[in-house]
Structure formats: structure tokens, C-alpha cells
Amino acid sequence: MKKVTGLLLALCTSALCFQTALAQEEKAALVPLPSLDDFTRGQDGWAFGLGLGVEYESAYEGSDEFGFEIQPAGAVQWRRGDDIFFFAGEALGWRGLRSDTWLLEAIVGFEEGREEGDSDDGRLDGLGDTEEGVEFALQARRAFDADWRYWLDGRVVAGENGNLGIFGVGRRFGEQIDGSGSELSVVAVFHDSDLANTDFGIDAAQATASGLDETNLDGGFRSIGVHYNYRNYINDNWQVFVEALYERYSNDISDSPIARNNYEAEVGVGFIYIF
């Protein structure tokens, strides 16, 4: 009797494992990284996710003022095989998986400008506003293995206000292949002189109007950052996400009168409903 019970238990366990594996396979994300939205459940065609997030973040880059902000979350996606086209917020893009270990991505979107009113304490008075501009981003991620446990990241962002380069390494935690779990990455950020001075420079006219010292910055190393992402399914339709970012500025940036802090930080939590 014990042998029969053991056999039945083994068969049931195998069946359960098979069903679990099959269910995960049906919902497999293009790449199982929590930092990347994928609402397609492993299926070709249209997919929609809509939600809200609450962020506690710096008022502007280099600010020592923090506050809460509500942000929309989600995206409209269309998948065909190993390619996903998407529209999320103000960004339109494509990402594709190649050879199981290469993820390529191209995005066109808008970068937020900075307004004098972003500082409630008047720290930006006299500096004027920096306008929102179009930016293009190209990204490549290379996994060490097909399970995407460890990966390398390279990204170039070209915009009307200057250019940015990001290089990083990441680690994924958990065994899920549906895009849930958690992920930690460390990145080094570089910028050209145009972007450096747009964000942290002060020209002669701004110096006169604000009373701050005139500041002209060269391009080069901008910051080192740590980024954490968590994503989990509450049920078949609801998803919760958490993300946190800490970015430590280089000495050149920290010395700018605009940088009241030598770091930028934010933490956010939100929910997304997947249709």
C-alpha cells in the first residue's frame, strides 16, 4: 500500500510540476526581468496594462527637497514572437530578444524639463526653465546565460539638451519566468558637456539673475547608481511593483551651486491592472 501511495504521490507531484511549468511557460515574459514591463503573458497580439504609482523623490536633479508625486503606470504593447512594440507614457519603442541572451531596445520619447517653480524654497530662482525635448535611446543587454540571472547593460541616450551613456551590471533574484521577482543593478553614468551644463551649469546671464556663481562643466563621469526593482502578481490581473534608485554624483556635479545634495534618490510603489 505504501508503494501505491508513493507512486500516486509521485505521479501527482509530477503532474503538478508539469502544470506549474506549463502555466509559467504560457505566461513567459520576453525577458524575465522585473525592470521591464511585459503584459503579453507569452502570447502574440495586443496587451494592455493600466495603473498608478506613487513616488517619493527629489524635486529636481541635485535637489535637497523631496516630495510625493503620482505617476501613471502601464503600457500598450503588441507582441510577435521575440519582438514587442510598445507605447508607455510619452515613449514609443521596440524591444527584441535575440539568441536568448541579447535584448535590444530602441525608444523615442520626451525628457522632462526643469522649471524654476520645481523648488519650493526658491533655489532655482533666476535660472529660468529648461524646455522638454525629444530624446532617442538605444539599449543592449547581454545575459551570461539564457535564464538571465546575471546581465550587462549598455545604453546611449541622445537628446536636444545633450547626450548620456549608461553602463551597468545586474542580478535577478527568483526563479519565475513571467517577469515577477526582484532585480538589483549597479550603473555608471556619463554625460557630454551640453547635458552637464543644461542640468548643472550656470551661464553669465543666469549668474546675474540668480546670484549664484557662474559654472561651466565639462563632459565625463556623472554618477554611480544603484537601482532595485520588485514586481509580483497579486492575481491573474493585478500586479504590484516597487522600485528604488540611489545615484551618487561625481565631485564636479556636487560642486555645482545647483546641486544642493551630492546624490539623487527616489522610491516608488504602484499597482497595474492587466487586461
Side-chain angles (χ1 to χ4, degrees), residues 187-208:
V187 298
V189 185
F190 300 83
H191 56 191
D192 64 9
S193 59
D194 288 339
L195 186 59
N197 286 293
T198 296
D199 292 339
F200 298 102
I202 301 172
D203 61 26
Q206 291 173 321
T208 300

Side-chain angles (χ1 to χ4, degrees), residues 231-271:
R231 191 180 299 273
N232 192 30
Y233 284 91
I234 300 174
N235 55 37
D236 286 343
N237 296 102
W238 282 101
Q239 188 182 91
V240 60
F241 66 90
V242 177
E243 61 178 349
L245 171 69
Y246 176 83
E247 184 179 1
R248 181 64 179 254
Y249 293 129
S250 68
N251 290 336
D252 287 345
I253 301 299
S254 299
D255 289 341
S256 167
I258 295 177
R260 303 287 178 164
N261 265 336
N262 59 4
Y263 69 90
E264 181 181 357
E266 68 178 65
V267 60
V269 61
F271 297 88

Side-chain angles (χ1 to χ4, degrees), residues 112-123:
E112 294 184 1
R114 188 188 67 208
E115 300 179 357
E116 287 189 7
D118 288 342
S119 172
D120 292 334
D121 296 338
R123 302 290 178 84

Side-chain angles (χ1 to χ4, degrees), residues 27-30 36-43 45-51 73-79 84 86-88 95 178 231 233 236-237 239 241 271-275:
K27 297 182 179 181
L30 182 67
L36 299 175
D37 286 330
D38 187 345
F39 308 132
T40 64
R41 305 177 192 270
Q43 304 297 313
W46 290 100
F48 305 88
L50 182 63
V76 177
Q77 301 175 339
W78 184 79
R79 180 170 180 171
I84 291 179
F86 59 89
F87 175 72
R95 68 175 60 108
D178 59 0
R231 191 180 299 273
Y233 284 91
D236 286 343
N237 296 102
Q239 188 182 91
F241 66 90
F271 297 88
I272 296 175
Y273 184 84
I274 302 172
F275 294 87

Side-chain angles (χ1 to χ4, degrees), residues 131-269:
E131 297 182 358
E132 186 178 73
V134 178
E135 65 179 13
F136 302 90
L138 296 175
Q139 180 178 9
R141 295 194 187 189
R142 174 68 162 88
F144 289 86
D145 207 338
D147 64 0
W148 284 82
R149 182 66 56 203
Y150 297 93
W151 45 266
L152 299 174
D153 183 24
R155 193 181 321 165
V156 176
V157 182
E160 296 182 61
N161 293 324
N163 305 304
L164 197 70
I166 303 173
F167 305 93
V169 59
R171 165 75 156 90
R172 180 176 73 92
F173 303 91
E175 302 297 330
Q176 302 94 321
I177 61 173
D178 59 0
S180 62
S182 59
E183 171 191 328
L184 185 68
S185 61
V186 178
V187 298
V189 185
F190 300 83
H191 56 191
D192 64 9
S193 59
D194 288 339
L195 186 59
N197 286 293
T198 296
D199 292 339
F200 298 102
I202 301 172
D203 61 26
Q206 291 173 321
T208 300
S210 66
L212 300 176
D213 293 337
E214 185 174 348
T215 303
N216 184 59
L217 299 171
D218 296 325
F221 177 64
R222 179 187 180 97
S223 62
I224 187 78
V226 180
H227 196 182
Y228 173 79
N229 284 277
Y230 169 82
R231 191 180 299 273
N232 192 30
Y233 284 91
I234 300 174
N235 55 37
D236 286 343
N237 296 102
W238 282 101
Q239 188 182 91
V240 60
F241 66 90
V242 177
E243 61 178 349
L245 171 69
Y246 176 83
E247 184 179 1
R248 181 64 179 254
Y249 293 129
S250 68
N251 290 336
D252 287 345
I253 301 299
S254 299
D255 289 341
S256 167
I258 295 177
R260 303 287 178 164
N261 265 336
N262 59 4
Y263 69 90
E264 181 181 357
E266 68 178 65
V267 60
V269 61

